[in-house]
Amino acid sequence: MKSGNGQRKRLPRAERERLIVEEAVRFFAEVGFEGQTRALAERLGVTQPLLYRYFADKEALIERVFDEVFLRRWRPEWEDLLVDRRRPLDERLTDFYQNYCRAIFSAEWIRIFMFAGLKGEGVNQRYFDIVSNNILKPFCIELRHDLGLPSSQERPISDDEINLAWALHGSISYIALRKWIYKLPVPENIDALIATSVRAYLLGCGAVLKQILA
C-alpha cells in the first residue's frame, strides 16, 4: 500500500487489515486457494512479512476470507422468517430465497465457494452445516406442519428429508453458478424465477415426503 511517491503509507492497523482482507477476497476468487501469499503481498504493495504480522499463516487468512464472504453475509433474521407461521409457507420460502440469493449473487462468493470445494477446504463443510441446521431442518419441520404430517418430536427429521430440501436449495444456488462459473445467461428477474422454482417444488415435494414418511 504505497503512496504516489513510492513510499509505503502508514495506515491504522484496523484499516490496513481491512484492505488486506478485501484484496485477499478478490485474489482468491480470481486464482483459487493455490494462490501464493507472496503474490497477494505484491498486489497489495506490501512485503510478505508484513502480511504475516496481521495473519499468522495462509490458513488464518483463508479463515478470515471465509468469515468475510460467508458468515458476514448471513442474516439471522432469515431463520426467523422461515418459521413465522403467520404467513403461508410458500411466501416465507420465496422471501427467504430471494434475500439469500441477493446476498450470495456475486462472482466472489460463488468462485471462492467452488475453489474451496475443489481444494478440500473445510470451510465448505462448515457452511453446509450452517445451511443444513439453520435453514433446511427448520424448513423440513415447517413443511411437515404445512402438510399435516407428524412433527419432528414424533418422528425425527431424516436424511432423506434433508436431501429433498437440498434439491430446492441447490437449484436456486445453481443460478449463481450459471452466471459466474459457466458464464451462461440468467433471467433479469431472478426474484420471479425463484418464486416459480419454489411453487414448482412445493407442488411436487408433498407426495414424495409422504412416501418417505410412510
Side-chain angles (χ1 to χ4, degrees), residues 25-36 39 43 111 115:
V25 169
R26 288 189 288 268
F27 177 72
F28 289 127
E30 290 174 19
V31 306
F33 289 106
E34 299 298 333
Q36 299 298 310
R43 285 175 54 150
R111 287 180 64 84
F115 279 132

Side-chain angles (χ1 to χ4, degrees), residues 97-167:
Y97 274 114
Q98 287 173 345
N99 281 283
Y100 177 77
C101 206
R102 279 191 281 272
I104 71 165
F105 207 72
S106 72
E108 290 172 352
W109 192 97
I110 195 67
R111 287 180 64 84
I112 284 178
F113 191 77
M114 294 298 292
F115 279 132
L118 290 170
K119 191 176 184 295
E121 292 289 343
V123 295
N124 289 65
Q125 186 57 55
R126 286 166 52 197
Y127 188 73
F128 284 141
D129 289 342
I130 292 172
V131 172
S132 182
N133 293 324
N134 296 12
I135 298 299
L136 301 187
K137 285 183 180 178
F139 165 50
C140 290
I141 292 171
E142 295 306 304
L143 182 57
R144 282 196 193 183
H145 179 270
D146 200 58
L147 295 171
L149 297 172
S151 70
S152 58
Q153 284 74 34
E154 298 172 87
R155 291 187 61 180
I157 301 297
S158 67
D159 289 343
D160 286 340
E161 289 176 81
I162 297 296
N163 287 330
L164 185 62
W166 271 115

Side-chain angles (χ1 to χ4, degrees), residues 35-69:
Q36 299 298 310
T37 53
R38 181 177 291 104
L40 172 61
E42 290 175 359
R43 285 175 54 150
L44 285 161
V46 301
T47 64
Q48 193 177 27
L50 185 142
L51 197 65
Y52 286 130
R53 286 172 54 188
Y54 290 83
F55 299 95
D57 52 30
K58 184 178 176 181
E59 293 308 312
L61 181 56
I62 289 174
E63 283 290 321
R64 180 61 182 276
V65 166
F66 170 77
D67 289 346
E68 189 72 22
V69 174

Side-chain angles (χ1 to χ4, degrees), residues 173-186:
S173 299
Y174 185 70
I175 300 170
L177 206 66
R178 284 165 55 188
K179 180 175 178 64
W180 302 112
I181 301 298
Y182 299 125
K183 309 298 183 183
L184 295 173
V186 298

Side-chain angles (χ1 to χ4, degrees), residues 1-11 16 41 44-48 50 53:
M1 304 165 192
K2 296 181 178 179
S3 61
N5 61 13
Q7 294 181 330
R8 185 174 296 117
K9 295 169 61 177
R10 287 189 173 276
L11 298 174
R16 188 181 293 278
L44 285 161
V46 301
T47 64
Q48 193 177 27
L50 185 142
R53 286 172 54 188

